PDB file of all heavy atoms in Angstrom:
ATOM      1  N   SER A  66     122.285 142.565 158.552  1.00 76.00           N
ATOM      2  CA  SER A  66     123.226 142.866 159.632  1.00 76.00           C
ATOM      3  C   SER A  66     122.531 143.677 160.713  1.00 76.00           C
ATOM      4  O   SER A  66     122.751 143.369 161.938  1.00 76.00           O
ATOM      5  CB  SER A  66     124.397 143.665 159.049  1.00 76.00           C
ATOM      6  OG  SER A  66     125.287 144.034 160.059  1.00 76.00           O
ATOM      7  N   LEU A  67     121.693 144.673 160.335  1.00 80.00           N
ATOM      8  CA  LEU A  67     120.958 145.441 161.357  1.00 80.00           C
ATOM      9  C   LEU A  67     119.994 144.576 162.078  1.00 80.00           C
ATOM     10  O   LEU A  67     119.757 144.704 163.345  1.00 80.00           O
ATOM     11  CB  LEU A  67     120.283 146.600 160.665  1.00 80.00           C
ATOM     12  CG  LEU A  67     121.219 147.697 160.066  1.00 80.00           C
ATOM     13  CD1 LEU A  67     120.378 148.676 159.276  1.00 80.00           C
ATOM     14  CD2 LEU A  67     121.978 148.438 161.200  1.00 80.00           C
ATOM     15  N   LEU A  68     119.347 143.645 161.436  1.00 75.00           N
ATOM     16  CA  LEU A  68     118.382 142.783 162.023  1.00 75.00           C
ATOM     17  C   LEU A  68     118.992 141.835 163.050  1.00 75.00           C
ATOM     18  O   LEU A  68     118.429 141.554 164.104  1.00 75.00           O
ATOM     19  CB  LEU A  68     117.609 141.964 160.993  1.00 75.00           C
ATOM     20  CG  LEU A  68     116.571 142.734 160.164  1.00 75.00           C
ATOM     21  CD1 LEU A  68     116.112 141.922 158.985  1.00 75.00           C
ATOM     22  CD2 LEU A  68     115.382 143.114 161.025  1.00 75.00           C
ATOM     23  N   ARG A  69     120.216 141.316 162.632  1.00 69.00           N
ATOM     24  CA  ARG A  69     120.881 140.458 163.588  1.00 69.00           C
ATOM     25  C   ARG A  69     121.261 141.122 164.894  1.00 69.00           C
ATOM     26  O   ARG A  69     121.451 140.492 165.927  1.00 69.00           O
ATOM     27  CB  ARG A  69     122.124 139.803 162.849  1.00 69.00           C
ATOM     28  CG  ARG A  69     121.689 138.708 161.894  1.00 69.00           C
ATOM     29  CD  ARG A  69     122.915 137.883 161.455  1.00 69.00           C
ATOM     30  NE  ARG A  69     123.727 138.666 160.499  1.00 69.00           N
ATOM     31  CZ  ARG A  69     123.610 138.631 159.134  1.00 69.00           C
ATOM     32  NH1 ARG A  69     122.662 137.889 158.661  1.00 69.00           N
ATOM     33  NH2 ARG A  69     124.397 139.336 158.382  1.00 69.00           N
ATOM     34  N   ASP A  70     121.461 142.441 164.807  1.00 68.00           N
ATOM     35  CA  ASP A  70     121.857 143.210 165.984  1.00 68.00           C
ATOM     36  C   ASP A  70     120.656 143.623 166.805  1.00 68.00           C
ATOM     37  O   ASP A  70     120.761 144.127 167.944  1.00 68.00           O
ATOM     38  CB  ASP A  70     122.623 144.443 165.602  1.00 68.00           C
ATOM     39  CG  ASP A  70     124.006 144.123 165.004  1.00 68.00           C
ATOM     40  OD1 ASP A  70     124.506 143.053 165.287  1.00 68.00           O
ATOM     41  OD2 ASP A  70     124.534 144.958 164.291  1.00 68.00           O
ATOM     42  N   GLU A  71     119.450 143.490 166.198  1.00 69.00           N
ATOM     43  CA  GLU A  71     118.271 143.941 166.915  1.00 69.00           C
ATOM     44  C   GLU A  71     117.744 142.833 167.871  1.00 69.00           C
ATOM     45  O   GLU A  71     117.585 141.726 167.418  1.00 69.00           O
ATOM     46  CB  GLU A  71     117.216 144.305 165.888  1.00 69.00           C
ATOM     47  CG  GLU A  71     116.027 145.107 166.467  1.00 69.00           C
ATOM     48  CD  GLU A  71     115.176 145.710 165.398  1.00 69.00           C
ATOM     49  OE1 GLU A  71     115.691 146.243 164.419  1.00 69.00           O
ATOM     50  OE2 GLU A  71     113.896 145.615 165.554  1.00 69.00           O
ATOM     51  N   LYS A  72     117.352 143.232 169.025  1.00 61.00           N
ATOM     52  CA  LYS A  72     116.841 142.259 170.054  1.00 61.00           C
ATOM     53  C   LYS A  72     115.629 141.535 169.537  1.00 61.00           C
ATOM     54  O   LYS A  72     114.701 142.133 169.003  1.00 61.00           O
ATOM     55  CB  LYS A  72     116.535 142.981 171.342  1.00 61.00           C
ATOM     56  CG  LYS A  72     116.149 142.047 172.476  1.00 61.00           C
ATOM     57  CD  LYS A  72     115.904 142.828 173.745  1.00 61.00           C
ATOM     58  CE  LYS A  72     115.563 141.919 174.879  1.00 61.00           C
ATOM     59  NZ  LYS A  72     115.328 142.638 176.192  1.00 61.00           N
ATOM     60  N   GLY A  73     115.571 140.209 169.688  1.00 56.00           N
ATOM     61  CA  GLY A  73     114.436 139.387 169.351  1.00 56.00           C
ATOM     62  C   GLY A  73     114.366 139.009 167.907  1.00 56.00           C
ATOM     63  O   GLY A  73     113.366 138.498 167.437  1.00 56.00           O
ATOM     64  N   MET A  74     115.442 139.330 167.119  1.00 58.00           N
ATOM     65  CA  MET A  74     115.329 139.040 165.684  1.00 58.00           C
ATOM     66  C   MET A  74     116.246 137.844 165.286  1.00 58.00           C
ATOM     67  O   MET A  74     116.779 137.765 164.194  1.00 58.00           O
ATOM     68  CB  MET A  74     115.830 140.308 164.879  1.00 58.00           C
ATOM     69  CG  MET A  74     114.903 141.436 165.057  1.00 58.00           C
ATOM     70  SD  MET A  74     113.175 141.008 164.832  1.00 58.00           S
ATOM     71  CE  MET A  74     113.254 140.325 163.149  1.00 58.00           C
ATOM     72  N   SER A  75     116.380 136.887 166.157  1.00 53.00           N
ATOM     73  CA  SER A  75     117.198 135.714 165.884  1.00 53.00           C
ATOM     74  C   SER A  75     116.648 134.840 164.735  1.00 53.00           C
ATOM     75  O   SER A  75     117.358 134.100 164.128  1.00 53.00           O
ATOM     76  CB  SER A  75     117.324 134.820 167.145  1.00 53.00           C
ATOM     77  OG  SER A  75     116.043 134.421 167.549  1.00 53.00           O
ATOM     78  N   GLU A  76     115.343 135.050 164.413  1.00 53.00           N
ATOM     79  CA  GLU A  76     114.782 134.194 163.320  1.00 53.00           C
ATOM     80  C   GLU A  76     115.435 134.515 162.044  1.00 53.00           C
ATOM     81  O   GLU A  76     115.335 133.667 161.082  1.00 53.00           O
ATOM     82  CB  GLU A  76     113.251 134.500 163.223  1.00 53.00           C
ATOM     83  CG  GLU A  76     112.927 135.877 162.773  1.00 53.00           C
ATOM     84  CD  GLU A  76     111.443 136.118 162.671  1.00 53.00           C
ATOM     85  OE1 GLU A  76     110.854 135.479 161.789  1.00 53.00           O
ATOM     86  OE2 GLU A  76     110.919 136.954 163.434  1.00 53.00           O
ATOM     87  N   PHE A  77     116.147 135.609 161.910  1.00 55.00           N
ATOM     88  CA  PHE A  77     116.845 135.918 160.652  1.00 55.00           C
ATOM     89  C   PHE A  77     118.243 135.376 160.557  1.00 55.00           C
ATOM     90  O   PHE A  77     118.915 135.501 159.563  1.00 55.00           O
ATOM     91  CB  PHE A  77     116.761 137.403 160.378  1.00 55.00           C
ATOM     92  CG  PHE A  77     115.345 137.904 160.090  1.00 55.00           C
ATOM     93  CD1 PHE A  77     114.647 138.439 161.126  1.00 55.00           C
ATOM     94  CD2 PHE A  77     114.843 137.794 158.848  1.00 55.00           C
ATOM     95  CE1 PHE A  77     113.336 138.864 160.920  1.00 55.00           C
ATOM     96  CE2 PHE A  77     113.526 138.184 158.551  1.00 55.00           C
ATOM     97  CZ  PHE A  77     112.796 138.753 159.629  1.00 55.00           C
ATOM     98  N   THR A  78     118.705 134.751 161.625  1.00 50.00           N
ATOM     99  CA  THR A  78     119.995 134.038 161.580  1.00 50.00           C
ATOM    100  C   THR A  78     119.814 132.584 161.828  1.00 50.00           C
ATOM    101  O   THR A  78     120.611 131.762 161.477  1.00 50.00           O
ATOM    102  CB  THR A  78     120.987 134.607 162.678  1.00 50.00           C
ATOM    103  OG1 THR A  78     120.340 134.580 163.930  1.00 50.00           O
ATOM    104  CG2 THR A  78     121.344 136.015 162.301  1.00 50.00           C
ATOM    105  N   ASN A  79     118.648 132.218 162.438  1.00 52.00           N
ATOM    106  CA  ASN A  79     118.300 130.778 162.661  1.00 52.00           C
ATOM    107  C   ASN A  79     117.488 130.269 161.480  1.00 52.00           C
ATOM    108  O   ASN A  79     117.068 131.087 160.590  1.00 52.00           O
ATOM    109  CB  ASN A  79     117.458 130.648 163.941  1.00 52.00           C
ATOM    110  CG  ASN A  79     118.355 130.933 165.142  1.00 52.00           C
ATOM    111  OD1 ASN A  79     119.522 130.702 165.111  1.00 52.00           O
ATOM    112  ND2 ASN A  79     117.670 131.403 166.154  1.00 52.00           N
ATOM    113  N   PRO A  80     117.267 128.974 161.349  1.00 46.00           N
ATOM    114  CA  PRO A  80     116.493 128.487 160.207  1.00 46.00           C
ATOM    115  C   PRO A  80     115.105 129.097 160.144  1.00 46.00           C
ATOM    116  O   PRO A  80     114.448 129.305 161.146  1.00 46.00           O
ATOM    117  CB  PRO A  80     116.384 126.974 160.500  1.00 46.00           C
ATOM    118  CG  PRO A  80     117.458 126.699 161.381  1.00 46.00           C
ATOM    119  CD  PRO A  80     117.723 127.930 162.225  1.00 46.00           C
ATOM    120  N   ILE A  81     114.602 129.436 158.909  1.00 53.00           N
ATOM    121  CA  ILE A  81     113.273 129.836 158.682  1.00 53.00           C
ATOM    122  C   ILE A  81     112.356 128.687 158.968  1.00 53.00           C
ATOM    123  O   ILE A  81     112.631 127.524 158.808  1.00 53.00           O
ATOM    124  CB  ILE A  81     113.134 130.313 157.186  1.00 53.00           C
ATOM    125  CG1 ILE A  81     114.117 131.437 156.906  1.00 53.00           C
ATOM    126  CG2 ILE A  81     111.723 130.772 156.920  1.00 53.00           C
ATOM    127  CD1 ILE A  81     114.237 131.810 155.499  1.00 53.00           C
ATOM    128  N   GLU A  82     111.150 129.006 159.480  1.00 58.00           N
ATOM    129  CA  GLU A  82     110.166 128.010 159.853  1.00 58.00           C
ATOM    130  C   GLU A  82     110.029 127.037 158.682  1.00 58.00           C
ATOM    131  O   GLU A  82     109.796 127.416 157.540  1.00 58.00           O
ATOM    132  CB  GLU A  82     108.832 128.658 160.196  1.00 58.00           C
ATOM    133  CG  GLU A  82     107.802 127.668 160.614  1.00 58.00           C
ATOM    134  CD  GLU A  82     106.447 128.328 160.992  1.00 58.00           C
ATOM    135  OE1 GLU A  82     106.429 129.604 160.934  1.00 58.00           O
ATOM    136  OE2 GLU A  82     105.483 127.623 161.194  1.00 58.00           O
ATOM    137  N   ASP A  83     110.096 125.753 158.980  1.00 64.00           N
ATOM    138  CA  ASP A  83     110.109 124.756 157.930  1.00 64.00           C
ATOM    139  C   ASP A  83     108.648 124.222 157.779  1.00 64.00           C
ATOM    140  O   ASP A  83     108.196 123.327 158.453  1.00 64.00           O
ATOM    141  CB  ASP A  83     111.003 123.563 158.369  1.00 64.00           C
ATOM    142  CG  ASP A  83     111.146 122.563 157.280  1.00 64.00           C
ATOM    143  OD1 ASP A  83     110.705 122.836 156.124  1.00 64.00           O
ATOM    144  OD2 ASP A  83     111.599 121.487 157.547  1.00 64.00           O
ATOM    145  N   ASP A  84     107.976 124.817 156.722  1.00 71.00           N
ATOM    146  CA  ASP A  84     106.668 124.314 156.362  1.00 71.00           C
ATOM    147  C   ASP A  84     106.651 123.586 155.065  1.00 71.00           C
ATOM    148  O   ASP A  84     105.645 123.390 154.428  1.00 71.00           O
ATOM    149  CB  ASP A  84     105.650 125.479 156.345  1.00 71.00           C
ATOM    150  CG  ASP A  84     106.127 126.597 155.343  1.00 71.00           C
ATOM    151  OD1 ASP A  84     107.248 126.429 154.800  1.00 71.00           O
ATOM    152  OD2 ASP A  84     105.379 127.564 155.264  1.00 71.00           O
ATOM    153  N   THR A  85     107.832 123.082 154.688  1.00 77.00           N
ATOM    154  CA  THR A  85     108.023 122.386 153.381  1.00 77.00           C
ATOM    155  C   THR A  85     107.296 121.020 153.498  1.00 77.00           C
ATOM    156  O   THR A  85     107.498 120.313 154.470  1.00 77.00           O
ATOM    157  CB  THR A  85     109.505 122.142 153.115  1.00 77.00           C
ATOM    158  OG1 THR A  85     110.190 123.379 153.175  1.00 77.00           O
ATOM    159  CG2 THR A  85     109.696 121.576 151.743  1.00 77.00           C
ATOM    160  N   PRO A  86     106.531 120.637 152.472  1.00 81.00           N
ATOM    161  CA  PRO A  86     105.937 119.288 152.454  1.00 81.00           C
ATOM    162  C   PRO A  86     107.025 118.310 152.326  1.00 81.00           C
ATOM    163  O   PRO A  86     108.095 118.468 151.690  1.00 81.00           O
ATOM    164  CB  PRO A  86     105.021 119.319 151.211  1.00 81.00           C
ATOM    165  CG  PRO A  86     105.601 120.418 150.325  1.00 81.00           C
ATOM    166  CD  PRO A  86     106.207 121.448 151.254  1.00 81.00           C
ATOM    167  N   LEU A  87     106.769 117.099 152.832  1.00 83.00           N
ATOM    168  CA  LEU A  87     107.725 115.984 152.848  1.00 83.00           C
ATOM    169  C   LEU A  87     107.733 115.219 151.548  1.00 83.00           C
ATOM    170  O   LEU A  87     108.719 114.548 151.249  1.00 83.00           O
ATOM    171  CB  LEU A  87     107.413 115.018 153.977  1.00 83.00           C
ATOM    172  CG  LEU A  87     107.944 115.362 155.393  1.00 83.00           C
ATOM    173  CD1 LEU A  87     107.423 114.442 156.417  1.00 83.00           C
ATOM    174  CD2 LEU A  87     109.556 115.254 155.356  1.00 83.00           C
ATOM    175  N   ASN A  88     106.642 115.375 150.752  1.00 91.00           N
ATOM    176  CA  ASN A  88     106.538 114.531 149.549  1.00 91.00           C
ATOM    177  C   ASN A  88     106.315 115.330 148.307  1.00 91.00           C
ATOM    178  O   ASN A  88     105.773 116.405 148.355  1.00 91.00           O
ATOM    179  CB  ASN A  88     105.425 113.522 149.700  1.00 91.00           C
ATOM    180  CG  ASN A  88     105.636 112.548 150.863  1.00 91.00           C
ATOM    181  OD1 ASN A  88     106.717 111.896 150.882  1.00 91.00           O
ATOM    182  ND2 ASN A  88     104.784 112.456 151.821  1.00 91.00           N
ATOM    183  N   ILE A  89     106.705 114.716 147.172  1.00 95.00           N
ATOM    184  CA  ILE A  89     106.398 115.300 145.830  1.00 95.00           C
ATOM    185  C   ILE A  89     104.931 114.936 145.613  1.00 95.00           C
ATOM    186  O   ILE A  89     104.509 113.791 145.825  1.00 95.00           O
ATOM    187  CB  ILE A  89     107.309 114.690 144.809  1.00 95.00           C
ATOM    188  CG1 ILE A  89     108.747 114.996 145.118  1.00 95.00           C
ATOM    189  CG2 ILE A  89     106.918 115.174 143.425  1.00 95.00           C
ATOM    190  CD1 ILE A  89     109.752 114.233 144.251  1.00 95.00           C
TER     191      ILE A  89
END
Side-chain angles (χ1 to χ4, degrees):
S66 177
L67 293 171
L68 286 169
R69 283 192 285 270
D70 292 339
E71 192 168 318
K72 186 177 179 181
M74 295 312 302
S75 60
E76 66 179 296
F77 291 96
T78 55
N79 292 332
I81 301 169
E82 183 181 353
D83 185 14
D84 54 359
T85 308
L87 276 170
N88 295 307
I89 301 170

